[in-house]
């Protein structure tokens, strides 16, 4: 049931997934699976709410509950500056420097840093496997790992997992050991749930709250105090996601990047990478 051109995948398979990881991951995130990657990264960020230490830190800054739109824009822009320009490019290096400036004022355990890296690797990969028009190939998955391994190195994270299986183990083990409901997690999810509608297809935006809750794993729903949506809602969402994947499989390949940098709701006149995020 697929008629989509696979030229990009064929090209990716001619590349070295380690040496060419930036090109491959950029192709995944901006062309092959633009919507899936963006939503997967959102779900990865929501996963961190389930870790009490991370939730308390995020809540204590007030950035997500009082300046929700700007916080979301800052996070998305910094991530896509890295993805679009590359970690070693001038703007990519500026984004890494800004991330380090933002985080260095906090005491954050290395285990928490490793877990966050694992969410960026594993959660979008699993989301693409669930909702994409095809799964990631081994080159794409390896490139994703290498991209976030390098980002971790630039952010001075220690004992970074060496491959995808190791990242999966970090994520699954850490969640099993640490996921717990907190008031901070519930407040964070409540504040950000409204923005989630902007990531959804038009036909789902009227059900943004229940749809968002449907997409969360049951253990994360418990941690953030989200209800389990009714079975008809879960079935509707599942059916629409499958229909979307089928439609995507028949579309022509994307020729423009999924997310074009330059402006955002909080920065209608543009921005400087050095100014993204809170005042530090």
């Amino acid at each position: 049931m697929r008629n989509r051109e696979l030229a990009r995948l064929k090209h990716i398979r001619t590349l070295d997934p380690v040496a060419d990881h930036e090109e491959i991951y950029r192709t995944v995130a901006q062309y092959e699976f633009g919507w899936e990657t963006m939503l997967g990264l959102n779900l990865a960020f929501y996963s961190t709410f389930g870790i009490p230490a991370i939730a308390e830190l995020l809540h204590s800054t007030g950035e997500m509950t009082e300046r929700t739109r700007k916080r979301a824009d800052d996070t998305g822009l910094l991530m896509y500056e890295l993805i679009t320009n590359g970690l070693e490019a001038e703007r990519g290096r500026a984004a890494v420097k800004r991330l380090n400036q933002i985080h260095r004022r906090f005491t954050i355990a290395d285990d928490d840093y490793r877990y966050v890296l694992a969410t960026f690797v594993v959660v979008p990969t699993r989301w693409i496997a669930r909702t994409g028009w095809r799964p990631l190939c081994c080159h794409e998955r390896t490139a994703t790992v290498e991209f976030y391994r390098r980002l971790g190195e630039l952010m001075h994270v220690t004992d970074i997992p060496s491959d995808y299986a190791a990242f999966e183990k970090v994520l699954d083990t850490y969640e099993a050991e640490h996921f717990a409901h907190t008031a901070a997690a519930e407040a964070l999810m409540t504040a950000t749930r409204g923005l989630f509608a902007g990531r959804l297809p038009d036909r789902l935006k009227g059900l943004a709250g229940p749809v968002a809750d449907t997409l969360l794993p049951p253990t994360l729903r418990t941690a953030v105090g989200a209800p389990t949506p009714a079975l008809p809602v879960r079935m509707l969402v599942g059916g629409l996601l499958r229909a979307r994947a089928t439609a995507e499989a028949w579309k022509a390949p994307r020729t423009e990047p999924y997310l074009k940098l330059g402006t955002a709701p909080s920065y209608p006149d543009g921005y400087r990478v050095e100014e993204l995020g809170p005042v530090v």
Side-chain angles (χ1 to χ4, degrees), residues 3-256:
N3 196 40
R4 186 162 174 170
E5 173 60 52
L6 297 178
R8 281 207 180 97
L9 178 59
K10 293 174 183 176
H11 173 65
I12 284 170
R13 287 175 170 167
T14 69
L15 302 176
D16 184 315
V18 176
D20 302 316
H21 66 269
E22 288 192 346
E23 178 183 345
I24 295 172
Y25 185 57
R26 184 182 307 114
T27 301
V28 168
Q30 287 281 41
Y31 294 94
E32 290 287 88
F33 301 100
W35 178 81
E36 294 90 344
T37 298
M38 177 172 283
L39 194 61
L41 289 172
N42 273 264
L43 292 171
F45 187 58
Y46 294 154
S47 296
T48 66
F49 299 172
I51 307 299
I54 299 177
E56 293 292 343
L57 176 59
L58 291 171
H59 187 261
S60 70
T61 67
E63 292 294 320
M64 296 194 63
T65 53
E66 299 170 21
R67 292 170 288 279
T68 309
R69 175 77 266 175
K70 183 178 183 300
R71 176 63 165 80
D73 286 345
D74 288 338
T75 301
L77 290 170
L78 284 168
M79 287 301 303
Y80 275 83
E81 286 285 346
L82 298 172
I83 293 168
T84 302
N85 298 299
L87 297 168
E88 314 300 339
E90 182 178 355
R91 288 184 71 87
R93 285 286 183 163
V96 171
K97 181 179 179 180
R98 186 60 180 148
L99 286 171
N100 283 325
Q101 288 174 337
I102 292 169
H103 289 91
R104 70 186 178 191
R105 58 187 174 137
F106 304 111
T107 301
I108 303 173
D110 274 355
D111 284 348
D112 287 342
Y113 271 124
R114 278 189 292 275
Y115 171 71
V116 173
L117 280 179
T119 67
F120 291 146
V121 172
V122 177
V123 175
T125 299
R126 289 176 173 174
W127 178 250
I128 290 171
R130 176 183 168 189
T131 66
W133 61 277
R134 65 169 177 83
L136 294 182
C137 78
C138 56
H139 274 40
E140 291 166 325
R141 193 165 66 178
T142 298
T144 301
V145 168
E146 292 302 315
F147 182 89
Y148 287 104
R149 276 180 50 78
R150 181 56 179 152
L151 176 59
E153 291 172 354
L154 293 171
M155 295 188 70
H156 314 295
V157 180
T158 61
D159 298 324
I160 301 172
S162 59
D163 56 27
Y164 182 77
F167 270 112
E168 276 196 312
K169 183 176 180 180
V170 166
L171 181 120
D172 293 335
T173 300
Y174 210 60
E175 289 183 350
E177 293 176 350
H178 294 277
F179 259 12
H181 174 264
T182 61
E186 191 164 343
L188 291 169
M189 194 66 213
T190 298
T192 57
R193 188 182 275 109
L195 294 178
F196 193 76
R199 309 290 189 224
L200 299 174
D202 290 341
R203 68 187 71 180
L204 291 178
K205 288 182 179 180
L207 295 170
V211 169
D213 295 337
T214 298
L215 302 184
L216 301 179
T219 52
L220 182 56
R221 275 191 223 128
T222 300
V224 300
T228 299
L231 179 60
V233 174
R234 302 201 305 272
M235 293 178 64
L236 171 64
V237 172
L240 289 174
L241 289 173
R242 288 190 295 273
R244 182 190 177 280
T246 300
E248 285 293 312
W250 286 87
K251 285 183 178 180
R254 175 178 289 277
T255 58
E256 296 292 328

